[in-house]
Amino acid sequence: AAGVIQSPRHLIKEKRETATLKCYPIPRHDTVYWYQQGPGQDPQFLISFYEKMQSDKGSIPDRFSAQQFSDYHSELNMSSLELGDSALYFCASSLGGDGNTIYFGEGSWLTVV
Amino acid sequence: EDQVTQSPEALRLQEGESSSLNCSYTVSGLRGLFWYRQDPGKGPEFLFTLYSAGEEKEKERLKATLTKKESFLHITAPKPEDSATYLCAVQAYGDSWGKFQFGAGTQVVVTP
């Protein structure tokens, strides 16, 4: 079965650079979630979208922005990168935004040097 | 403030040695409790959703239970392929769906 696809899988950026992560949800899923997992830490909710509208926001820095497009894929844009942004970024998706199982992608590793 | 605490942090088991993982939670109103399995460098893999105290769910060697304050994940006769980090997450009423509060996880190693 098709899963959540994230790209790139690995990304190395320098401080103050910009990075964009992409997420392709499971076909027909209309809700996307972004999580950040630092080394040895539990996943932290960043932001979510339902039908291309932002539905909630968590501990997402102002330097980060995200959107969901008409084909339901989502992009997380991160600017002025800091060393502390190095983490595994997960995208997850579900069919509908309420009460349905949430499936996670494999994650995108971002290393800021 | 919502809080999820998992114990133990790490667990080393012999193949066939059954054990339980604990997830205790403090949340204003529990809408759902989730168990995920995470392999190193991979995304969390969905295992179970529990909604109300007394509920139980099973899948192969795993069984999840829920009380008003905690959840247990029982691993019966584990095999080496059950080695992973097991994450517990809670969904509170008042939060949008999918805004989970995760625990720190229990790292399970099953040796042959």
Side-chain angles (χ1 to χ4, degrees):
Chain A
V4 178
I5 305 297
Q6 293 188 244
S7 68
R9 292 297 315 281
H10 300 272
L11 192 58
I12 300 175
K13 290 286 186 178
E14 295 189 354
K15 284 193 303 183
R16 293 179 290 278
E17 284 193 318
T18 297
T20 297
L21 306 181
K22 296 185 178 183
C23 169
Y24 297 87
I26 292 171
R28 294 187 295 115
H29 282 195
D30 51 12
T31 308
V32 168
Y33 315 83
W34 285 97
Y35 278 80
Q36 177 192 56
Q37 187 174 29
Q41 298 179 4
D42 50 283
Q44 296 291 318
F45 175 81
L46 293 178
I47 195 166
S48 60
F49 294 88
Y50 172 60
E51 281 289 346
K52 294 156 279 183
M53 298 287 289
Q54 180 182 306
S55 48
D56 206 342
K57 203 170 181 180
S59 49
I60 183 169
D62 292 340
R63 300 177 287 107
F64 291 12
S65 65
Q67 58 181 324
Q68 186 181 31
F69 294 86
S70 57
D71 63 352
Y72 297 115
H73 94 272
S74 178
E75 295 183 6
L76 177 66
N77 298 293
M78 300 173 284
S79 63
S80 303
L81 288 170
E82 302 173 357
L83 295 178
D85 296 328
S86 296
L88 187 55
Y89 290 83
F90 291 112
C91 175
S93 74
S94 67
L95 177 60
D98 194 22
N100 291 302
T101 301
I102 294 173
Y103 298 92
F104 283 79
E106 296 277 279
S108 291
W109 281 100
L110 171 65
T111 301
V112 181
V113 297
Chain B
E1 184 182 326
D2 299 342
Q3 197 164 358
V4 181
T5 304
Q6 292 189 245
S7 63
E9 290 184 11
L11 190 59
R12 191 173 186 90
L13 301 171
Q14 290 279 342
E15 185 172 0
E17 178 188 359
S18 301
S19 189
S20 294
L21 315 181
N22 177 267
C23 170
S24 63
Y25 61 89
T26 304
V27 65
S28 51
L30 181 70
R31 189 170 176 194
L33 185 142
F34 308 85
W35 283 98
Y36 283 84
R37 168 197 169 123
Q38 186 176 26
D39 293 305
K42 300 287 185 70
E45 176 188 343
F46 172 76
L47 293 174
F48 304 109
T49 305
L50 301 167
Y51 292 104
S52 56
E55 191 174 359
E56 297 183 353
K57 294 233 175 123
E58 284 188 69
K59 179 181 178 181
E60 296 179 352
R61 295 177 294 281
L62 300 177
K63 179 179 177 180
T65 61
L66 181 65
T67 72
K68 288 185 178 179
K69 293 183 179 180
E70 58 192 348
S71 176
F72 292 93
L73 183 67
H74 308 279
I75 309 178
T76 302
K79 298 182 178 182
E81 53 262 42
D82 294 323
S83 298
T85 295
Y86 291 86
L87 294 169
C88 168
V90 299
Q91 170 80 57
Y93 279 107
D95 282 340
S96 63
W97 187 255
K99 189 176 183 180
F100 292 161
Q101 178 71 46
F102 275 93
T106 293
Q107 185 177 19
V108 174
V109 174
V110 182
T111 56

